[in-house]
Amino acid sequence: MSRWKAVFLLFLLLAGTRAWALSPQALKLLDNRFRVDYGIEAITMLVQRKEHSSPVIVVLPDGSKWYSHRHPQNVSWSEGPAGDMIRVANPMPGPWQLIGQVSENSKILLISDIQLMLDPLPKTVFRGERIKLHASIEGDNNTLSIRDFHKMLKWKVNLVSANRRGDENYAAGVKKIGGFEDDGTKLDERPNDGHFTSSLDFDQPSGLYGLRLEVGNEVFNRTVDQDLEIIPQPFRLSVPQKPGTDPGEYRVQVNVDQQDLMPGELHLVIQVRAPSGMMGELTVTPEEEVQSYSLPMVMEMGSYLIKGTAVGTTASGEEFFLNLPELNFYVSPPPPPSLSPTERAAMVQEQMQEKEDAARFRVISIVVGANGVLLLFGLGVLLFWRKRMRLMEQLEAVPLVAEPEIEPDKIDLTTDSDR
């Protein structure tokens, strides 16, 4: 490999104005300055800075400046709360400088190639199985690890139903099942060590899927596609419903597919949540195809929830850890005691009396209602008649005025011209 295509990796530990190069091929850095030699095709700067500080400013050898919001098209820039990832194609040879609140004792890496390293994905998993997979982002064959680097990446894992007829997931569409973490939570062992750990939810309907894993940001993107089949768990839990049974008689039944499992190596931790919210736990190791276990925590009427975990070994020697699917059951009150013939006859008589009383009440209501309507109508007619009679009396009391008579000899037929 020529000198111009050598792999660049620089770890900087800031302490005053001193800097140490931890690789013989590392670029020297002093006061956030470094030099890019001629012939480098591309570099990626991974800069760690103080939490919630502004993105760094990149000063080129010719004095021009790049910002996260203003830079050429040959530059890709991804900013996070505590760092920047900047990729430059065909960088200008000469001295470069970074301006910003670069964290004390932080690392600045200059890398020429980025790759996704991922554990092989399984071809089949049990429904609800917990799978611990590792992934890392490598630059020039070195794992990239700076504080909060995981916040600069976006992981997405989807399951797409293959629509195989007869599968439980037929026409189920797309299922988002999580991603990978490097924050020391869930299955991740140590935060910010550059090793990402899966947090995938395989509690999905069984069947054939297409799995797609995507990771990236504005600087780089990687995608992995493969087929994956989710198979049913090698055992089933059920609580036979017994209406009216005493709560203390309820039992959980476990059906085991023994041909798929190593004998004696299936262990279930069953958690039962009572209607009051109290939790009870039961640990069992089924050794037969069908076994039932008492549920001493079931002591009252109401709705119960069963969940928990299972560990075991398949017949082929593969160990597994499963989350049990949630199971609900309801403890109903006992039925009322049976009645004697005398009590039954009295109850029938009481029901007949109630029906007769209801019919009598309806008849009385109809009669009273009709009489009320007739009474209101009669009052209305009476008021109208009295008002009309009063008006007639008033008209008769008014005296008649005779119209004046016109005498013929007093009619003047002359006009003003005759006068």
Side-chain angles (χ1 to χ4, degrees), residues 124-384:
T124 61
V125 298
F126 287 118
R127 178 170 184 169
E129 185 172 359
R130 188 177 74 183
I131 303 292
K132 186 175 182 179
L133 301 173
H134 295 92
S136 62
I137 309 300
E138 295 197 355
D140 297 339
N141 299 320
N142 292 275
T143 300
L144 304 183
S145 59
I146 67 170
R147 179 172 54 85
D148 293 334
F149 179 46
H150 64 280
K151 295 182 180 180
M152 302 172 64
L153 301 174
K154 295 179 181 178
W155 293 84
K156 183 170 63 175
V157 184
N158 287 339
L159 291 178
V160 183
S161 173
N163 292 330
R164 187 173 64 183
R165 291 193 177 276
D167 284 350
E168 186 182 0
N169 70 334
Y170 182 75
V174 180
K175 304 283 187 179
K176 295 182 180 180
I177 63 170
F180 287 71
E181 312 289 343
D182 185 25
D183 55 2
T185 63
K186 300 178 181 177
L187 298 181
D188 190 56
E189 298 177 7
R190 290 178 294 276
N192 302 318
D193 62 353
H195 297 285
F196 294 80
T197 310
S198 61
S199 57
L200 304 178
D201 176 18
F202 289 111
D203 188 10
Q204 309 294 337
S206 60
L208 182 63
Y209 291 90
L211 183 147
R212 164 162 287 197
L213 183 150
E214 299 178 67
V215 58
N217 53 27
E218 289 79 1
V219 175
F220 84 105
N221 288 276
R222 298 293 184 270
T223 302
V224 176
D225 290 290
Q226 76 161 57
D227 290 336
L228 179 140
E229 184 172 6
I230 296 179
I231 58 179
Q233 296 183 353
F235 54 85
R236 293 169 299 282
L237 270 64
S238 62
V239 178
Q241 294 297 292
K242 301 178 179 180
T245 302
D246 184 84
E249 298 182 11
Y250 272 76
R251 302 175 67 87
V252 59
Q253 181 174 300
V254 183
N255 295 66
V256 182
D257 299 327
Q258 290 189 331
Q259 68 275 12
D260 297 332
L261 298 175
M262 195 78 72
E265 295 198 13
L266 175 63
H267 311 282
L268 307 177
V269 179
I270 302 174
Q271 297 176 334
V272 182
R273 188 182 69 189
S276 62
M278 298 291 292
M279 296 293 296
E281 190 170 281
L282 178 68
T283 301
V284 301
T285 301
E287 297 181 353
E288 301 177 4
E289 283 193 15
V290 181
Q291 282 188 257
S292 64
Y293 301 91
S294 176
L295 296 174
M297 65 287 295
V298 178
M299 297 181 295
E300 57 182 323
M301 310 299 174
S303 181
Y304 287 80
L305 172 68
I306 286 182
K307 59 181 181 179
T309 57
V311 295
T313 308
T314 64
S316 59
E318 297 180 1
E319 296 185 345
F320 59 82
F321 182 103
L322 305 177
N323 290 310
L324 301 179
E326 293 187 351
L327 175 65
N328 290 278
F329 67 95
Y330 185 79
V331 177
S332 59
S338 58
L339 301 176
S340 65
T342 303
E343 292 174 334
R344 190 178 299 110
M347 185 177 65
V348 172
Q349 183 65 29
E350 183 179 356
Q351 292 176 350
M352 293 178 62
Q353 185 65 39
E354 290 178 353
K355 291 181 179 180
E356 183 179 348
D357 293 342
R360 184 181 296 107
F361 177 78
R362 287 195 297 270
V363 172
I364 294 174
S365 299
I366 294 173
V367 173
V368 172
N371 290 334
V373 171
L374 292 175
L375 178 61
L376 292 175
F377 178 76
L379 289 175
V381 172
L382 178 61
L383 293 174
F384 175 78

Side-chain angles (χ1 to χ4, degrees), residues 42-46 76 85-88 109-117 136-142 144 149 153 215-222:
I43 60 172
T44 299
M45 291 177 279
L46 194 57
S76 301
M85 193 172 186
I86 309 167
R87 180 170 177 81
V88 184
L109 309 179
L110 237 60
I111 52 183
S112 59
D113 186 33
I114 298 178
Q115 295 182 343
L116 168 64
M117 306 301 294
S136 62
I137 309 300
E138 295 197 355
D140 297 339
N141 299 320
N142 292 275
L144 304 183
F149 179 46
L153 301 174
V215 58
N217 53 27
E218 289 79 1
V219 175
F220 84 105
N221 288 276
R222 298 293 184 270

